[in-house]
PDB file of all heavy atoms in Angstrom:
ATOM      1  N   GLU N 157     -35.471  44.120 -13.947  1.00 91.00           N
ATOM      2  CA  GLU N 157     -36.487  43.105 -14.225  1.00 91.00           C
ATOM      3  C   GLU N 157     -35.904  41.757 -14.612  1.00 91.00           C
ATOM      4  O   GLU N 157     -36.670  40.817 -14.837  1.00 91.00           O
ATOM      5  CB  GLU N 157     -37.459  43.613 -15.294  1.00 91.00           C
ATOM      6  CG  GLU N 157     -36.875  43.871 -16.665  1.00 91.00           C
ATOM      7  CD  GLU N 157     -36.335  45.296 -16.793  1.00 91.00           C
ATOM      8  OE1 GLU N 157     -35.648  45.765 -15.873  1.00 91.00           O
ATOM      9  OE2 GLU N 157     -36.598  45.930 -17.838  1.00 91.00           O
ATOM     10  N   GLY N 158     -34.605  41.631 -14.701  1.00 86.00           N
ATOM     11  CA  GLY N 158     -34.027  40.334 -15.039  1.00 86.00           C
ATOM     12  C   GLY N 158     -33.672  40.233 -16.514  1.00 86.00           C
ATOM     13  O   GLY N 158     -33.498  41.243 -17.191  1.00 86.00           O
ATOM     14  N   ASN N 159     -33.561  38.999 -16.970  1.00 84.00           N
ATOM     15  CA  ASN N 159     -33.008  38.783 -18.307  1.00 84.00           C
ATOM     16  C   ASN N 159     -33.996  38.925 -19.452  1.00 84.00           C
ATOM     17  O   ASN N 159     -33.634  38.823 -20.619  1.00 84.00           O
ATOM     18  CB  ASN N 159     -32.334  37.413 -18.360  1.00 84.00           C
ATOM     19  CG  ASN N 159     -31.117  37.367 -17.427  1.00 84.00           C
ATOM     20  OD1 ASN N 159     -30.495  38.399 -17.162  1.00 84.00           O
ATOM     21  ND2 ASN N 159     -30.785  36.196 -16.942  1.00 84.00           N
ATOM     22  N   VAL N 160     -35.261  39.133 -19.116  1.00 86.00           N
ATOM     23  CA  VAL N 160     -36.273  39.279 -20.169  1.00 86.00           C
ATOM     24  C   VAL N 160     -36.951  40.649 -20.046  1.00 86.00           C
ATOM     25  O   VAL N 160     -37.283  41.089 -18.959  1.00 86.00           O
ATOM     26  CB  VAL N 160     -37.346  38.164 -20.051  1.00 86.00           C
ATOM     27  CG1 VAL N 160     -38.402  38.312 -21.144  1.00 86.00           C
ATOM     28  CG2 VAL N 160     -36.702  36.789 -20.120  1.00 86.00           C
ATOM     29  N   ARG N 161     -37.091  41.281 -21.155  1.00 86.00           N
ATOM     30  CA  ARG N 161     -37.729  42.606 -21.158  1.00 86.00           C
ATOM     31  C   ARG N 161     -39.222  42.476 -20.891  1.00 86.00           C
ATOM     32  O   ARG N 161     -39.877  41.566 -21.388  1.00 86.00           O
ATOM     33  CB  ARG N 161     -37.485  43.250 -22.535  1.00 86.00           C
ATOM     34  CG  ARG N 161     -37.682  44.731 -22.473  1.00 86.00           C
ATOM     35  CD  ARG N 161     -37.274  45.393 -23.753  1.00 86.00           C
ATOM     36  NE  ARG N 161     -37.753  46.768 -23.668  1.00 86.00           N
ATOM     37  CZ  ARG N 161     -37.332  47.741 -24.444  1.00 86.00           C
ATOM     38  NH1 ARG N 161     -36.453  47.494 -25.381  1.00 86.00           N
ATOM     39  NH2 ARG N 161     -37.818  48.946 -24.290  1.00 86.00           N
ATOM     40  N   LEU N 162     -39.747  43.373 -20.072  1.00 88.00           N
ATOM     41  CA  LEU N 162     -41.163  43.287 -19.697  1.00 88.00           C
ATOM     42  C   LEU N 162     -41.913  44.540 -20.129  1.00 88.00           C
ATOM     43  O   LEU N 162     -41.316  45.576 -20.412  1.00 88.00           O
ATOM     44  CB  LEU N 162     -41.280  43.166 -18.159  1.00 88.00           C
ATOM     45  CG  LEU N 162     -40.628  41.973 -17.467  1.00 88.00           C
ATOM     46  CD1 LEU N 162     -40.724  42.132 -15.949  1.00 88.00           C
ATOM     47  CD2 LEU N 162     -41.265  40.668 -17.888  1.00 88.00           C
ATOM     48  N   SER N 163     -43.233  44.429 -20.118  1.00 88.00           N
ATOM     49  CA  SER N 163     -44.071  45.620 -20.340  1.00 88.00           C
ATOM     50  C   SER N 163     -43.905  46.513 -19.117  1.00 88.00           C
ATOM     51  O   SER N 163     -43.405  46.085 -18.084  1.00 88.00           O
ATOM     52  CB  SER N 163     -45.518  45.194 -20.462  1.00 88.00           C
ATOM     53  OG  SER N 163     -45.988  44.748 -19.196  1.00 88.00           O
ATOM     54  N   ILE N 164     -44.340  47.751 -19.212  1.00 88.00           N
ATOM     55  CA  ILE N 164     -44.166  48.657 -18.089  1.00 88.00           C
ATOM     56  C   ILE N 164     -44.952  48.195 -16.862  1.00 88.00           C
ATOM     57  O   ILE N 164     -44.477  48.334 -15.724  1.00 88.00           O
ATOM     58  CB  ILE N 164     -44.483  50.122 -18.512  1.00 88.00           C
ATOM     59  CG1 ILE N 164     -43.843  51.118 -17.521  1.00 88.00           C
ATOM     60  CG2 ILE N 164     -45.975  50.380 -18.660  1.00 88.00           C
ATOM     61  CD1 ILE N 164     -42.346  51.199 -17.619  1.00 88.00           C
ATOM     62  N   GLU N 165     -46.081  47.568 -17.083  1.00 92.00           N
ATOM     63  CA  GLU N 165     -46.863  47.049 -15.940  1.00 92.00           C
ATOM     64  C   GLU N 165     -46.110  45.889 -15.274  1.00 92.00           C
ATOM     65  O   GLU N 165     -46.022  45.819 -14.054  1.00 92.00           O
ATOM     66  CB  GLU N 165     -48.254  46.556 -16.387  1.00 92.00           C
ATOM     67  CG  GLU N 165     -49.211  47.639 -16.833  1.00 92.00           C
ATOM     68  CD  GLU N 165     -48.890  48.191 -18.217  1.00 92.00           C
ATOM     69  OE1 GLU N 165     -48.253  47.446 -19.025  1.00 92.00           O
ATOM     70  OE2 GLU N 165     -49.226  49.353 -18.494  1.00 92.00           O
TER      71      GLU N 165
END
Side-chain angles (χ1 to χ4, degrees):
Chain N
E157 64 271 45
N159 295 332
V160 180
R161 199 172 169 164
L162 300 173
S163 69
I164 200 71
E165 291 75 25

